[in-house]
Structure formats: structure tokens, C-alpha cells
């Protein structure tokens, strides 16, 4: 996913996160600096102001761990940040960063088998390196929202919600 002239990437996940953060900031009547302070877990640790601002401007490819940190600070689910205003089942709000990585791995494995592809072919389909594919397949590493969106798009699914749907509702009619 390449940025446009303004440095923004066309990624619905980035859009949803920025929208939710701005909505929360206004609801809480906070300045950006004070909103960013909510994400600090302890002195010297937490989300930097720069990261928060770049995320608000959709110029930051945040990772799932960062999204989880934001969600915990705001006392919402990771799903709430990623889906925007879309409805998801109650179970989706209980997912952690680790369980989302596991769901992504299961979806990728299922699709690879359904399409009868070997691993390198699936990596090509997803537009990721074989090293990144291996991390996705093993549910390891820190996955970025751009990678999640790219996987969703490559599989022909809504990048913002495909992780939060039941397996039998994943496939769209051909």
C-alpha cells in the first residue's frame, strides 16, 4: 500500500482508527496532547505523541500491538477500533492481539488450501514476502494494519471486518 501525495495510504483500517480516535477525543473534550497522554502506560513508556498524531493523520502503519494498547487505554475492543461503525458479533469484542493473529493465520491457511496453492503462491497472492507469509501463517510477529488490509483485499473480503466474521460467512459469492 503506497502513500498518496499527502502521505496517506488508502486503507480502511487506518481510516477507522483515525475516525474512532477523533470521535473519542471530541467526546472526551480533549486536546490532541491530552488524548495522546491516555496511551501512556507508565513514565517513558507508551504511545508517543508523534505516533498518535501520525495515526490520526493516517500516515502511520500502526501495528496490532499498538492498536491493542490504544483499545485498552480507551476501554474498548480492538474490533471497535478496526471496524469503524460496522456491526460485529459480541464475541469479536473479546479478541486480543494474539487471538486476532491466530484468526488471520487460520483464514490464510484455509484460503490457501481452498485455492490449492503452495505457500509461495499464497504469499504472491497476498502481496507479501515469503518471510512475512511465514510469520502470518504461524501467527507470530507484530502484524501491521496495512498488512491486514492487504490480506483482506487480496482475498476479496472487507479489510475492516473479515477478521470478525464467522468462517462460514467469509466467502463472498462469485
Amino acid at each position: 500500500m503506497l502513500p498518496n501525495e499527502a502521505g496517506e495510504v488508502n486503507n480502511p483500517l487506518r481510516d477507522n482508527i483515525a475516525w474512532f480516535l477523533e470521535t473519542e477525543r471530541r467526546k472526551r473534550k480533549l486536546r490532541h496532547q491530552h488524548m495522546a497522554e491516555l496511551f501512556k502506560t507508565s513514565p517513558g513508556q507508551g504511545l508517543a505523541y508523534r505516533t498518535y498524531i501520525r495515526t490520526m493523520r493516517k500516515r502511520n502503519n500502526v501495528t496490532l500491538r499498538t492498536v491493542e494498547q490504544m483499545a485498552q487505554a480507551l476501554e474498548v475492543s480492538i474490533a471497535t477500533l478496526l471496524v469503524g461503525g460496522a456491526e460485529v458479533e459480541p464475541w469479536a469484542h473479546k479478541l486480543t492481539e494474539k487471538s486476532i493473529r491466530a484468526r488471520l493465520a487460520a483464514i490464510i491457511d484455509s484460503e490457501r488450501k481452498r485455492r490449492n496453492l503452495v505457500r509461495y503462491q499464497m504469499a504472491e497472492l497476498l502481496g507479501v514476502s515469503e518471510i512475512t507469509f511465514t510469520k502470518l501463517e504461524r501467527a507470530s510477529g507484530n502484524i501491521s494494519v496495512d498488512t491486514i488490509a492487504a490480506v483482506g483485499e487480496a482475498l476479496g473480503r472487507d479489510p475492516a471486518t473479515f477478521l470478525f466474521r464467522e468462517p462460514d460467512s467469509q466467502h463472498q459469492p462469485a
Side-chain angles (χ1 to χ4, degrees):
M1 302 190 132
L2 299 173
N4 62 19
E5 299 83 34
E8 296 176 347
V9 172
N10 184 18
N11 177 342
L13 298 176
R14 285 189 187 199
D15 295 344
N16 291 345
I17 293 166
W19 170 82
F20 188 84
L21 291 176
E22 180 61 17
T23 301
E24 278 296 302
R25 186 185 72 80
R26 288 180 183 201
K27 184 168 68 173
R28 295 169 187 237
K29 298 178 181 168
L30 296 173
R31 297 175 62 97
H32 286 292
Q33 181 178 355
H34 296 116
M35 185 71 172
E37 288 173 6
L38 292 176
F39 304 121
K40 295 210 183 268
T41 54
S42 63
Q45 291 191 334
L47 193 65
Y49 176 76
R50 181 176 185 269
T51 301
Y52 163 76
I53 290 297
R54 288 181 56 81
T55 302
M56 289 291 298
R57 293 179 180 160
K58 300 181 255 180
R59 293 184 179 173
N60 195 26
N61 183 14
V62 293
T63 63
L64 208 45
R65 287 186 191 136
T66 299
V67 173
E68 183 175 55
Q69 183 180 348
M70 290 175 168
Q72 288 172 348
L74 297 172
E75 298 179 347
V76 298
S77 69
I78 297 172
T80 298
L81 279 170
L82 294 179
V83 301
E87 290 286 322
V88 293
E89 295 294 324
W91 60 263
H93 294 289
K94 297 176 184 171
L95 295 174
T96 63
E97 176 258 343
K98 184 177 179 180
S99 60
I100 290 171
R101 281 189 286 117
R103 285 187 64 78
L104 183 61
I107 290 167
I108 289 170
D109 185 57
S110 172
E111 276 297 308
R112 185 181 68 76
K113 289 175 181 170
R114 187 179 75 79
R115 295 171 188 231
N116 198 29
L117 299 174
V118 293
R119 285 175 171 80
Y120 83 87
Q121 291 172 315
M122 191 64 177
E124 286 178 2
L125 173 72
L126 298 179
V128 298
S129 70
E130 288 186 55
I131 293 170
T132 299
F133 178 77
T134 300
K135 288 179 182 178
L136 291 171
E137 185 180 45
R138 292 181 181 167
S140 63
N142 196 0
I143 301 168
S144 72
V145 295
D146 284 0
T147 299
I148 293 169
V151 168
E153 286 179 11
L155 297 178
R157 300 186 184 161
D158 179 352
T161 61
F162 82 100
L163 291 170
F164 309 110
R165 303 274 186 235
E166 291 294 343
D168 60 348
S169 66
Q170 290 288 336
H171 303 291
Q172 297 177 350

